[in-house]
Structures are given as structure tokens and as C-alpha cells.
Amino acid sequence: MSESKLYRVKPEIAASAYIKQPDYQALYRRSVEQPEQFWAEQAEQFLDWSQPWQTVWEYDYPKGHIRWFEGGKLNVSVNCLDRHLAQRGDQVAIIWEGDNPEHDKKITYKALHQQVCQFANVLKVQGVQKGDRVCIYLPMVAEAATVMLACTRIGAVHSVVFGGFSAEALKDRILDADCKVVVCADEGKRGGKTIPIKANVDEAINNCPCVEKVIVIKNSGNPVSWDENRNVWYHEAMAAAPDNCPAEQMDAEDPLFILYTSGSTGKPKGILHTTGGYLLYAAMTHKYVFDYHDGDIYWCTADIGWVTGHSYMIYGPLCNGATTLMFEGVPTYPDAGRFWQVVDKHQVNIFYTAPTAIRALMAQGNDFVTRSNRSSLRILGSVGEPINPEAWEWYYHVVGEGRCPIMDTWWQTETGGILITPLPGVTALKPGSATLPFFGIQPDIMDGNGNLMSGEATGILVIGKPWPGQARTIYGDHQRFVDTYFKAYPGYYFAGDGARRDQDGYYWITGRVDDVINVSGHRLGTAEVESALVLHELVAEAAVVGYPHDIKGQGIYAYVTLNAGVPPTEALRQELLQLVRKEIGAIATPDVIQWATGLPKTRSGKIMRRILRKVAADELDNLGDTSTLADPSVVEEIIKNHAKQ
Ligand code: WT7
């Protein structure tokens, strides 16, 4: 492996950083050697508790049992709002920037607090009680934060479903979490296009007896169908709601939210996070990874439908009393300079986005960047997938003009917050490496047989010992939680990623080792896409794999076998694409559908995906062992047809 470039910490970044290089080693060592003391101190420093905890942590990985700060009581909205009012009531909490560049608004902590209390009262009036699940299916309207925080105020558990998911996908998630109320908008706006949010909800809840009320935010103002018994306008209910709402004192381990993510089987997993540990971990990582200082303007471009939007747009920043920017639009509308216009307009200091956005903008040329000023930027961040060194260098040199270190943060929905990352004042950067573990995190590399590897190594990434932000269960299916994360490598959390550790101990994430693919930073199970494809009556079988894609990181490649005698037509291909959009959403649309008269299988009937992945990736001279194939001619045909794609 060739020695990669090293970018040392710049003195001007180190000068103001909370954590400095000479202190880092000792701090890290203490965090893993005396975890109880370390985390107790952090929990006291970062959060306000109404009752102290009795035990810092307790865990039993084989049972999937993880508890933090048991006995402690607190409320998330109090930590994100009330406690800031005395000092920063008039400070802007949220800068909202619309899809339309002429639309923006600023919401102070005082105003946000008032709206959250009001909406908490609205939820109560609609029958929502502590522990009830509320589905949030919203575009990036400013009210999204209000709705999430209002749930936390009364102890309701929110389940945010990404606005790009279809009615069908929404229905599955509403049913799985047994949601009583859905909060949505009439329509969404992204990149100048309209998204039929309320219409999707109407379609979804036709089959959801658990849903009693749908609260609708007027956003586009266009007419939507209305059911007097079930529908409530947000603005009308808010106008009637008092702005005083006592906060429910929650146990540290009370559920905070459910967020669905894809696994290797067809059914998405409802990842459950709890109150105290999650909030502590989100706040602490936000402060140190981005070196957030009072007065900084911080912008995370993620959608609230993903965990990044939860931890690093809402909970972490607001818990720290930050000013967080929320963007309704897309990086390329009205043109590919939009991100940098917004940076200049709001004088953004810290900017956190995904490699897919960087690659898409890089492809549009430097002019869109260089026509902006960007001198406010101090720290850059990357998340969601491995960032290729070429994109990293462009982000660093063109966007950041060589001034701003890039925090390449590795984590997952299940981890609640960032686990492997540089720190601005500490870590020398290597383009493409997420570098080193955060405080309290103990990564390791395992070989395929479950043996720990030391020193330089390439294998499976596992994490020993829990951290406060870790997921506690899969909603309604604890056994799946145990089986997915704690079975394969006893005593460790199995993340599903492969990684290499280099001679400096730096981690390089190599991508998923399961049947999960990462499309534009969105996690998708290949099995989900396959299930959608085989719903078509003319489809006999489908196998879906990821393949390298210049912009998306991974593209979706589907091999489809039709029923005997059915001719493969362009019309049928379009029908299948449409079917996937309807079942999951546009993000899951295959980039390639290749017809196949048969799929490569072992003699026991198992599809050999390894071969399909190689073919999709054009690695034809390197198919590996094919001796167990039941019918080798199938592969020849697949290779021949691949060449025609
Ligand atoms: C998967 C988790 C973390 C929030 C957004 C995605 C991949 C994430 C990185 C990174 C390499 C990364 C992993 C991980 N991933 N960040 N910095 N470098 N890979 O959350 O949808 O739960 O997906 O995203 O494969 O397992 P998610």
C-alpha cells in the first residue's frame, strides 16, 4: 500500500480547538480505561438531569442488553431549549433556507421553545400520550424540528420517515411502529419539484387502522383531499394551543425515537434509541468533532429522514445551544453553486455533507465554487460512505481553499453518533481515511474466522464495549437485534462494514460486507429491491447487487429472470422501474436491469451473488471460484448480456 498524503493540523485550527494534540492520547486512554468515570463526567457536563442516575452503564452483549445512566431522569426538549432560554433566548436556534433562494427564516431559541410547547399541547389534545409512537413524514420544513422536539417534550416516540419514501414504504413503517398519529405537510418542494406528501399519507393509511389522526402542515398551500374526522390543520391547532407545557421527566432509558434502516433481509429495521445516552453522545460528538464554539453557524445538509438529520442537525446542535442551518433544497438548484451561495449568505463556519454531493458538484466544475467567497468556512465534514481521495482533495483544496480540515466521520443509524473520525485540533488527515476512534470507542479488526487481528490489518470492523449513543433494540424484534449485531463476533458489536487499519492505526472503511448497498449515502437492502421486483407477475426471479458508480458511490444493478416465454421488452423494463419506485421510492430505482434466462446458483440452489457483483463491476477476469456452480453456462450468458448493457 503506497504511503498516502498526510495533512497536518494547522496551527490556526489547533489554536482555538477544545481538544489539542498533546492532550489527546491521555484523554482517549482515560476514556477507555476508566469509562465509568469518564462518561459520568461527560453526562454531568453536557446534560441537565432532574434526577441523577444510579449506574453509569450495564451491558450484556450476548443478550443485546445495553443500559446507560439507569435511574437518571431528564427531558430532551428541556436540554435542547428551556435551559438555553436565560442566556440565549434571542439567539437564532434554526436558520431555515428554502428551496427557493428568496425564502428563509430565522427561529430563535425563545420562539422555538414556544412553538414546541404549543405543538406538544396539540399532540396531547389529539390523544398522544407518553410512549405512543408518532410518525413524522415531512419535507424539510422548519416545523420539522418543532414536531420532533414536541414529541420529546411529552415522551412520545417519533419515527421520522424520509419524505422520499413511497406510500407503500410509509405504510410498512407506520404499521411496524404502530403509530397513532402522523404529522405531514400538504406538499413538499425540492429542486423546484413538488412532492405529494399528503396524498402519499392518504394512500398509506388506508391500510393502517392504528392511525387516529393526521396533522397537516400547510406548506405549498395547494388543495389536498380532506377527511374532517381524521385530518387536522397544524396552523389551526397551533392557534388554539397554549404555549405552556410542562416537560415529561423521562428515564434515561425511555425510548426517544425509532428510525428505520435497511438490513440484509427484506424488512427494514426499526432502530430504537433511548433518551439519556443518545442525547449525551450526539451533543458531545457534535461539540468536539466539529469544534463547535458559541456563535458559530453550523450547517449539516442531511435530511431529517436520516440519522444524520437527527443527531447532527437537530439534537446534537440544539443540545449545545448552537445555531443550526436547515436546508429545504438540493445542491444543484437553481444551480450547482447553491451550497456556496448559502454558505456566504448565512456566513456558515462549519459545513457537513455527503461524498455523493461533493462528487456531483465536482463534476459541474470549479466555477460554481470559486464565484463564491466561502471565507467564513473553518471546518468541513463528510458522512455516509467512503469518500474517494479525489473527491476529498477537491473538497479540501477547491471548497476549503486548503484552510479547513475535513472530518470524515464514520458511523451508522445504529451507533447514534460518530464513532471513527478525526478531531480538528488533533488528527493529521489522510484523504479517504476516517482516521481514529472517538473517545470511549474501541474498534478492532477481525478475520473471517472471528480472530482479532493486530497491527496493520484488513478485515471486518467490530467495536468492543458499548458507548452511550448505541441503539438499544430493533423495535418489536429484539431477537433480530441480537442476531444482527452480537452473534457473529461474540463480545463485540458487528457493524456490517469492512475496514483496513494502517501502520499508523488509521481506519479506512472499505464498505459493507453484507447485502446492504450504499446509494448516494442512502442505505438499501438488496433484498428489499428484489422483493419489489418479484411482485411483478411476469418476473420469476431477481438478484440485485451494487456496482461502482461515479456519483452515487454505488449504483443498483438488477438481474431479472422473466417467466418462461415472456419476451423482455422496454415497456416491461419501465414497468419494473415504476414498481420499485412505488414499493420503496425513487432512491431505490435500479440503474441497470439486465435480463437473464437464469441466475448463477450453487448446486443447493443458493444464488452466487459474488459472481453477479463481479460481472456488474466489470471485473470479468476475476470471477473467483466457480467450481460450485450448478450450471456454468448461466454465467457465460450473463457475461454476454452484460457486455450489451
Ligand atoms: C453505513 C451506515 C452515518 C450516518 C449516515 C449513514 C457507511 C457512513 C461513512 C464514512 C465510510 C461510511 C457505512 C455504514 N458510512 N459513514 N465516513 N466512511 N463509510 O447512516 O444509513 O445507517 O449507513 O454508511 O457503510 O455502515 P446509515
Side-chain angles (χ1 to χ4, degrees):
M1 184 64 57
S2 67
E3 200 38 48
S4 66
K5 266 196 200 154
L6 197 67
Y7 289 87
R8 295 193 188 284
V9 175
K10 292 197 182 294
E12 61 274 23
I13 295 288
S16 60
Y18 291 111
I19 317 274
K20 308 220 196 289
Q21 228 274 317
D23 309 323
Y24 168 75
Q25 277 300 337
L27 266 170
Y28 177 76
R29 214 173 311 120
R30 175 143 188 281
S31 76
V32 295
E33 284 170 7
Q34 298 175 292
E36 292 218 7
Q37 291 92 320
F38 177 82
W39 287 115
E41 281 167 22
Q42 303 303 322
E44 261 164 44
Q45 187 192 321
F46 276 87
L47 304 181
D48 281 5
W49 301 80
S50 59
Q51 185 179 300
W53 58 86
Q54 273 129 34
T55 36
V56 174
W57 71 348
E58 190 189 288
Y59 72 103
D60 182 353
Y61 267 179
K63 294 201 174 88
H65 175 87
I66 302 153
R67 318 279 294 173
W68 282 88
F69 310 114
E70 190 89 68
K73 284 193 185 286
L74 76 166
N75 179 279
V76 168
S77 75
V78 167
N79 275 279
C80 291
L81 300 168
D82 303 51
R83 64 170 176 156
H84 302 317
L85 293 181
Q87 276 198 11
R88 48 177 109 243
D90 295 323
Q91 182 199 306
V92 174
I94 296 177
I95 301 174
W96 179 85
E97 169 77 17
D99 188 48
N100 178 336
E102 280 158 27
H103 294 174
D104 62 17
K105 43 187 165 190
K106 292 181 176 166
I107 305 158
T108 63
Y109 272 94
K110 203 156 65 190
L112 186 59
H113 174 259
Q114 182 186 329
Q115 287 162 22
V116 165
C117 289
Q118 280 183 290
F119 194 66
N121 283 323
V122 170
L123 288 172
K124 283 203 232 173
V125 169
Q126 299 306 329
V128 178
Q129 294 175 353
K130 179 177 173 180
D132 285 346
R133 274 80 53 215
V134 173
C135 174
I136 301 177
Y137 182 67
L138 281 174
M140 290 284 282
V141 291
E143 291 87 345
T146 305
V147 175
M148 290 165 77
L149 286 161
C151 288
T152 75
R153 192 151 193 98
I154 61 170
V157 180
H158 61 65
S159 165
V160 182
V161 176
F162 174 54
F165 277 123
S166 67
E168 196 62 31
L170 174 63
K171 182 200 78 184
D172 293 343
R173 287 158 178 76
I174 291 173
L175 286 176
D176 187 80
D178 195 24
C179 296
K180 195 173 194 175
V181 164
V182 178
V183 184
C184 70
D186 47 8
E187 292 175 324
K189 273 259 148 57
R190 268 189 105 217
K193 294 195 199 107
T194 301
I195 310 153
I197 294 284
K198 170 72 162 57
N200 283 349
V201 172
D202 288 343
E203 192 184 329
I205 64 170
N206 271 335
N207 299 307
C208 296
C210 51
V211 175
E212 292 170 12
K213 295 285 174 186
V214 176
I215 305 175
V216 188
I217 295 172
K218 190 171 266 195
N219 185 42
S220 72
N222 291 328
V224 286
S225 78
W226 202 256
D227 172 341
E228 286 297 339
N229 293 325
R230 206 163 50 184
N231 294 166
V232 178
W233 279 114
Y234 177 90
H235 61 278
E236 287 177 5
M238 285 289 271
D243 60 8
N244 168 22
C245 178
E248 192 74 38
Q249 291 313 302
M250 304 297 286
D251 286 326
E253 283 297 343
D254 275 337
L256 177 61
F257 66 80
I258 298 166
L259 186 58
Y260 286 85
T261 190
S262 298
S264 23
T265 65
K267 196 169 156 5
K269 304 179 276 197
I271 299 300
L272 184 100
H273 284 285
T274 59
T275 304
Y278 170 82
L279 188 64
L280 167 62
Y281 200 73
M284 182 182 170
T285 46
H286 171 258
K287 175 168 171 167
Y288 293 133
V289 172
F290 300 108
D291 203 41
Y292 185 88
H293 288 263
D294 264 0
D296 280 343
I297 309 290
Y298 164 88
W299 180 15
C300 165
T301 67
D303 191 282
I304 45 152
W306 311 112
V307 72
T308 313
H310 285 56
S311 301
Y312 297 112
M313 188 172 59
I314 307 286
Y315 291 119
L318 295 179
C319 189
N320 289 334
T323 298
T324 181
L325 193 149
M326 181 175 181
F327 177 42
E328 184 183 28
V330 297
T332 47
Y333 178 82
D335 64 41
R338 184 69 191 278
F339 272 179
W340 326 120
Q341 289 154 18
V342 176
V343 164
D344 283 354
K345 177 178 176 188
H346 297 293
Q347 290 295 291
V348 171
N349 307 109
I350 303 162
F351 177 75
Y352 189 28
T353 196
T356 186
I358 296 300
R359 287 191 300 264
L361 297 180
M362 186 167 85
Q364 301 291 315
N366 294 2
D367 285 355
F368 286 108
V369 187
T370 53
R371 68 174 64 142
S372 67
N373 181 292
R374 283 162 291 107
S375 59
S376 58
L377 288 176
R378 189 177 86 242
I379 310 263
L380 301 173
S382 172
V383 60
E385 50 171 318
I387 180 165
N388 49 308
E390 193 193 359
W392 195 102
E393 298 277 359
W394 185 81
Y395 195 21
Y396 187 80
H397 292 289
V398 180
V399 174
E401 295 175 331
R403 277 192 329 271
C404 314
I406 298 174
M407 302 302 115
D408 176 359
T409 61
W410 176 82
W411 59 295
Q412 312 176 295
T413 306
E414 294 89 335
T415 69
I418 295 164
L419 297 197
I420 301 184
T421 179
L423 296 176
V426 173
T427 321
L429 307 172
K430 298 184 189 184
S433 171
T435 77
L436 299 168
F438 188 73
F439 299 118
I441 305 301
Q442 294 173 269
D444 263 306
I445 306 272
M446 293 267 188
D447 68 15
N449 302 319
N451 301 310
L452 274 183
M453 302 170 82
S454 57
E456 280 183 69
T458 301
I460 308 292
L461 179 64
V462 295
I463 315 286
K465 302 281 164 55
W467 60 97
Q470 191 168 20
R472 302 298 195 260
T473 193
I474 291 174
Y475 188 77
D477 197 350
H478 191 71
Q479 192 56 45
R480 187 172 177 198
F481 183 66
V482 173
D483 292 347
T484 309
Y485 305 109
F486 303 105
K487 268 262 163 70
Y489 302 92
Y492 293 85
Y493 167 78
F494 167 57
D497 280 310
R500 178 171 76 85
R501 186 174 47 218
D502 71 13
Q503 66 278 15
D504 299 319
Y506 276 40
Y507 288 86
W508 302 71
I509 311 298
T510 50
R512 299 289 305 196
V513 294
D514 51 9
D515 288 320
V516 168
I517 53 181
N518 193 323
V519 183
S520 301
H522 301 320
R523 199 163 138 181
L524 276 175
T526 51
E528 285 170 82
V529 185
E530 289 164 5
S531 310
L533 289 168
V534 298
L535 284 176
H536 197 288
E537 55 181 11
L538 301 180
V539 171
E541 207 171 23
V544 169
V545 297
Y547 73 102
H549 187 288
D550 283 349
I551 305 283
K552 300 182 187 181
Q554 280 189 298
I556 305 175
Y557 200 110
Y559 298 88
V560 173
T561 306
L562 298 172
N563 289 339
V566 176
T569 61
E570 181 53 30
L572 184 50
R573 186 197 306 271
Q574 291 304 327
E575 269 179 47
L576 292 181
L577 296 177
Q578 199 45 44
L579 182 58
V580 175
R581 280 191 206 111
K582 179 174 168 293
E583 288 297 313
I584 309 175
I587 45 172
T589 314
D591 297 277
V592 181
I593 290 184
Q594 177 178 331
W595 308 114
T597 52
L599 297 174
K601 290 186 185 163
T602 60
R603 279 175 214 109
S604 58
K606 207 168 168 293
I607 295 178
M608 294 177 75
R609 300 169 159 281
R610 176 175 51 83
I611 293 181
L612 294 175
R613 274 194 289 265
K614 295 268 186 199
V615 173
D618 264 332
E619 293 172 20
L620 301 177
D621 46 359
N622 178 22
L623 289 184
D625 182 10
T626 52
S627 63
T628 54
L629 269 172
D631 176 5
S633 72
V634 166
V635 176
E636 284 157 32
E637 192 231 317
I638 279 182
I639 292 176
K640 205 169 75 212
N641 287 340
H642 168 73
K644 295 187 203 145
Q645 292 296 324

